[in-house]
Amino acid sequence: MHKDIRLHGQVGSHVEYFVMVVGNDAYQRYFFNIVQEEEHLRIFSPGNEFIITPQGIGYQGNGGYFCEYMFGVDQPSSDLAKPDIINRLVMYGARSDDTGSIRFSDRTQGEESFENIFFEGNAVCNYYFFVHSTQLSRKLKYQQEELVKNLGKVIKRSESVGDERDDALIANIFPLLKDDSAQLFIIKLINRHHREYRDLFKSLYYRNKKIADDDFARLVKLAATYRIDRYQQERMRIDAMYRHPSNKRIVDEYRNILLACNSKGEISHLDNARLTRLKTLSVRNKIPGALFYTLDEMLKKGRNLVHHQEQDYIAATREVLQGIFLREKEIESPINREDMLNLILAKKKAVENRDHFFDQLMLDASKECDEKIRDGADPGLMDGFSYVITYLDRFDSVSNLISQLAFMENVRVSEEMLQGLLEHKAAFDNLKVGCFEELFIRELFHNAYLGRFGRRKVTVLLAGLNAVERRTGTTEELHRQLQEIDQEERLSAVLLEHVRDRIRNFYSRFTTKADQEALRREVIEELKNKRLIKADIPDHLFHETIFTIKKEAMYLHSLLPQIIAERNVGLREDFLENSGLDRFYVEELEREYYEKNGLNLEGLYQIRKGLS
């Protein structure tokens, strides 16, 4: 049985290290010494050396380093195509040739600063290792190749690396050396400042999947205290958001679909429908869009998954920016309303197609604008570009708010937000009469996933905004109406859950008025005891709940088995259009039915494919 010795210490104010020496005779070997004058810690074995200094590390001999991939970092295509590879492994002296093959050399000596270690690798934790074994070849390049063959597969797939479960990591790696006399040296480096920032963000975000202003101020203060640069902050935030369990499931599925598309070389209509559905779910589940944008950049960049011909909206954007904004002789002249509306419509189309080239064009325009001013152009040129950015920011703000109101439950809209929405509406309608409704409302009402409460909220919102503009209503009245719908939506969800539970456990039959009245009394009493309601439940809401459960039972026991057996897409769509049940709700019922009965979900996707 192998044994291990561990040495723990700290370098400077923020780098913590753990040195682990593993072997059957680990206690009988002298493996480190400290150079007091230079504050160096030297870890060594015959032919290998690892030095920790106040500024960084130095190494020579065999081995390398590994760390958990952070979400969104560049990965080799071979790693990216295998979802089970979760860790990065780099061997000293290894290089990739033109064919993508790895070549090893005897030149393994090197050094790295701590800043670069946590920049190029994981922002929080990185591992280094080397091995002493008489069974390894004499030449270093052969030793490296042998270590990769023996250890590489496990290291790149081990969850113990990201979890920092060192005991499990050692137990997995050491037996692979197949040498009772071998010694395995592992050095773990931790950036304490980064870890504190990541852990604080994670604890705040995991509460309710958002960061309040006061909490964000704490993060800003902590980053300023430790001088954590913005790139590292963003890296850690995105990685923490991705690892939230409910986020990770949807994002991983999105990634897997894109990987499958890459292997086929195309995005089929079915694949596109799945991707769109996941995007819709992401809005509903408060998943940051940045996670999907990152995946799109990683998995689409450099791959011919879309038609090479430039899209019309991209061509229109390029024409406005280059022809009017940047290349006109009178470059300081403002963009007119028609130009601005064309840019907004182009952005809307780009968002619908998950095409980030529009954003790239805007970034390029911004850079060119900066360069022209630096070279002597009128600084007023930036005013025109700011006008464009302001409108595009308005678009993002309104689009996000209305999408949340339409597709998410328990969204609270304040009077201040409604006042801001009024200002945005006036700005868009200033470009063209009815522009606000055309951009944000009209198509929304044709979205198959818009539920009954979402439809009511959007309808009331639009009518209320128009009333305020006509001075026949106030934001206070609109806010109260939206609150009432929100309260009814909450009560409806609670009622559906408890009534269904009661029927399942106590009321196998609930067709008579007497049964329903008894059921109603018991549910009201239960909800009041749980302090979920204070007043009685409105009659219409209770009867709607009973009706919903009846329709649910009819669909699950009669229609869905027939739809599956006959692959009858028309019957399913007819039920969805006429039942009054929300599509999200029905799809969740279908998913539960498939999982409960052990059916292949691919069949469900095939049934749905023509409907999204």
Side-chain angles (χ1 to χ4, degrees):
M1 179 180 179
H2 66 263
K3 304 173 183 177
D4 62 88
I5 301 176
R6 307 194 186 195
L7 181 65
H8 177 216
Q10 183 172 324
V11 183
S13 62
H14 67 287
V15 177
E16 191 175 5
Y17 64 80
F18 294 83
V19 179
M20 293 160 273
V21 183
V22 187
N24 293 322
D25 57 349
Y27 287 85
Q28 302 175 18
R29 299 285 183 94
Y30 182 56
F31 67 90
F32 78 95
N33 71 301
I34 299 175
V35 183
Q36 296 288 355
E37 300 79 8
E38 299 179 358
E39 298 182 3
H40 289 184
L41 172 63
R42 177 172 172 264
I43 303 105
F44 56 86
S45 73
N48 301 302
E49 181 181 62
F50 190 91
I51 300 175
I52 300 177
T53 74
Q55 294 75 36
I57 57 106
Y59 52 82
Q60 61 179 346
N62 66 39
Y65 81 88
F66 55 90
C67 64
E68 183 181 45
Y69 276 123
M70 297 186 74
F71 181 82
V73 301
D74 289 334
Q75 299 181 32
S77 56
S78 57
D79 285 4
L80 195 58
K82 299 174 182 176
D84 59 328
I85 292 182
I86 55 177
N87 301 318
R88 180 185 188 189
L89 172 62
V90 177
M91 301 297 291
Y92 304 146
R95 297 291 183 272
S96 178
D97 60 20
D98 295 337
T99 65
S101 300
I102 302 298
R103 303 295 182 188
F104 299 93
S105 74
D106 292 323
R107 295 189 295 274
T108 61
Q109 185 174 0
E111 57 184 29
E112 290 282 350
S113 67
F114 288 127
E115 180 180 4
N116 199 55
I117 288 172
F118 294 106
F119 183 85
E120 295 290 343
N122 190 284
V124 176
C125 178
N126 294 274
Y127 289 86
Y128 287 78
F129 77 100
F130 61 87
V131 174
H132 172 64
S133 172
T134 57
Q135 295 188 12
L136 292 174
S137 300
R138 293 178 61 85
K139 294 182 71 66
L140 277 173
K141 65 178 182 180
Y142 298 135
Q143 290 183 29
Q144 296 291 75
E145 188 172 356
E146 291 161 6
L147 288 175
V148 168
K149 290 180 179 179
N150 291 334
L151 310 181
K153 185 174 182 179
V154 170
I155 288 177
K156 296 184 76 169
R157 292 164 171 80
S158 174
E159 295 181 355
S160 302
V161 175
D163 296 338
E164 296 184 42
R165 291 185 287 113
D166 298 334
D167 289 339
L169 182 63
I170 290 170
N172 290 335
I173 293 178
F174 186 77
L176 300 176
L177 295 174
K178 298 178 181 178
D179 180 3
D180 292 339
S181 63
Q183 283 186 301
L184 171 65
F185 294 76
I186 297 178
I187 302 95
K188 178 168 71 172
L189 301 176
I190 295 174
N191 189 313
R192 299 179 68 195
H193 292 173
H194 288 181
R195 179 172 61 183
E196 185 176 346
Y197 181 91
R198 179 203 63 186
D199 291 346
L200 175 60
F201 177 85
K202 186 176 179 180
S203 65
L204 297 174
Y205 178 75
Y206 275 39
R207 289 178 188 172
N208 53 14
K209 296 181 71 176
K210 67 178 181 179
I211 301 293
D213 291 342
D214 291 344
D215 293 334
F216 188 74
R218 291 174 60 190
L219 290 166
V220 171
K221 182 179 179 181
L222 183 64
T225 301
Y226 291 151
R227 297 181 180 178
I228 303 174
D229 67 61
R230 291 187 178 183
Y231 172 74
Q232 292 285 40
Q233 294 176 48
E234 183 71 12
R235 237 175 27 130
M236 289 185 282
R237 290 199 299 265
I238 288 180
D239 189 69
M241 289 188 292
Y242 161 70
R243 296 185 190 284
H244 189 287
S246 63
N247 292 357
K248 192 174 186 300
R249 178 178 62 85
I250 293 178
V251 175
D252 282 351
E253 177 65 14
Y254 188 89
R255 181 195 62 186
N256 292 338
I257 293 173
L258 283 181
L259 285 172
C261 293
N262 275 326
S263 65
K264 295 184 295 185
E266 65 174 2
I267 299 180
S268 68
H269 294 303
L270 176 59
D271 295 324
N272 195 61
R274 293 179 182 176
L275 294 172
T276 302
R277 183 174 289 113
L278 290 170
K279 278 292 188 68
T280 306
L281 285 173
S282 74
V283 174
R284 199 178 188 211
N285 288 278
K286 303 181 184 178
I287 299 177
L291 300 181
F292 295 94
Y293 301 154
T294 302
L295 280 177
D296 287 341
E297 288 298 311
M298 289 169 58
L299 295 170
K300 291 184 179 179
K301 187 176 181 180
R303 296 171 173 84
N304 298 323
L305 293 179
V306 294
H307 200 279
H308 291 289
Q309 183 178 353
E310 192 169 59
Q311 299 285 354
D312 291 343
Y313 57 87
I314 293 297
T317 302
R318 192 190 301 278
E319 179 182 350
V320 171
L321 292 178
Q322 293 188 357
I324 298 177
F325 190 72
L326 294 175
R327 296 197 175 181
E328 286 287 309
K329 292 181 179 179
E330 297 181 1
I331 197 168
E332 70 280 357
S333 62
I335 294 177
N336 61 31
R337 294 178 182 179
E338 183 180 356
D339 293 330
M340 191 66 250
L341 183 56
N342 285 338
L343 281 177
I344 293 172
L345 291 173
K347 178 176 177 64
K348 183 172 185 287
K349 196 69 176 178
V351 170
E352 291 171 354
N353 291 345
R354 298 184 300 280
D355 185 351
H356 308 302
F357 193 64
F358 177 92
D359 294 328
Q360 185 61 49
L361 285 178
M362 298 305 301
L363 180 61
D364 292 342
S366 175
K367 289 179 179 177
E368 188 172 352
C369 186
D370 289 337
E371 291 170 0
K372 286 182 178 292
I373 294 175
R374 184 195 61 199
D375 295 338
D378 185 356
L381 176 63
M382 186 54 71
D383 293 338
F385 191 75
S386 298
Y387 167 68
V388 172
I389 296 302
T390 299
Y391 257 105
L392 296 182
D393 286 345
R394 287 184 186 275
F395 177 86
D396 287 335
S397 179
V398 174
S399 180
N400 289 335
L401 177 58
I402 291 181
S403 292
Q404 290 174 3
L405 197 66
F407 295 107
M408 291 169 54
E409 299 175 357
N410 304 327
V411 174
R412 299 294 180 88
V413 179
S414 65
E415 289 185 33
E416 291 79 10
M417 293 168 70
L418 292 175
Q419 191 62 47
L421 205 54
L422 272 171
E423 296 175 5
H424 294 321
K425 183 177 185 299
F428 285 113
D429 287 343
N430 184 51
L431 296 177
K432 177 185 174 183
V433 175
C435 179
F436 180 86
E437 185 173 351
E438 177 184 342
L439 285 174
F440 304 107
I441 306 297
R442 192 168 299 160
E443 291 182 5
L444 188 62
F445 282 137
H446 296 289
N447 191 314
Y449 287 93
L450 182 64
R452 59 191 179 100
F453 284 107
R455 185 177 296 274
R456 283 177 59 190
K457 285 186 280 189
V458 174
T459 301
V460 167
L461 175 68
L462 183 60
L465 293 176
N466 289 332
V468 175
E469 287 182 328
R470 295 192 303 267
R471 298 186 179 181
T472 59
T474 65
T475 54
E476 291 83 357
E477 293 173 353
L478 176 56
H479 182 247
R480 178 182 52 77
Q481 290 174 338
L482 291 173
Q483 279 188 317
E484 289 174 356
I485 298 174
D486 180 68
Q487 291 171 358
E488 185 174 336
E489 183 178 23
R490 291 165 181 262
L491 181 56
S492 177
V494 170
L495 192 59
L496 181 62
E497 178 184 353
H498 284 76
V499 170
R500 186 194 290 117
D501 185 63
R502 279 273 169 181
I503 290 174
R504 183 183 296 118
N505 295 313
F506 302 106
Y507 290 88
S508 59
R509 294 183 179 180
F510 52 97
T511 54
T512 68
K513 289 186 177 181
D515 287 338
Q516 292 183 17
E517 185 59 33
L519 174 61
R520 183 172 182 271
R521 288 195 302 270
E522 292 180 12
V523 170
I524 291 176
E525 182 179 358
E526 181 182 359
L527 293 179
K528 285 183 176 179
N529 290 337
K530 291 182 178 180
R531 297 184 178 179
L532 295 176
I533 62 171
K534 295 180 180 179
D536 286 348
I537 299 170
D539 288 342
H540 78 276
L541 205 57
F542 179 79
H543 292 308
E544 285 177 8
T545 301
I546 293 293
F547 197 35
T548 295
I549 293 174
K550 288 181 178 180
K551 287 185 285 188
E552 172 188 325
M554 179 187 71
Y555 185 67
L556 291 177
H557 299 303
S558 300
L559 294 182
L560 185 56
Q562 182 182 349
I563 291 169
I564 295 172
E566 300 175 0
R567 302 183 65 81
N568 193 333
V569 178
L571 179 58
R572 177 179 183 270
E573 186 64 10
D574 182 65
F575 176 80
L576 288 169
E577 289 181 356
N578 296 292
S579 67
L581 299 183
D582 292 349
R583 190 177 291 263
F584 271 126
Y585 177 73
V586 173
E587 289 192 355
E588 187 64 19
L589 292 177
E590 292 172 338
R591 184 189 62 79
E592 292 175 356
Y593 181 90
Y594 267 72
E595 291 180 351
K596 181 180 178 180
N597 291 278
L599 301 176
N600 188 351
L601 285 172
E602 185 64 29
L604 180 59
Y605 293 144
Q606 291 290 338
I607 292 174
R608 292 176 179 172
K609 70 178 181 179
L611 308 178
S612 299

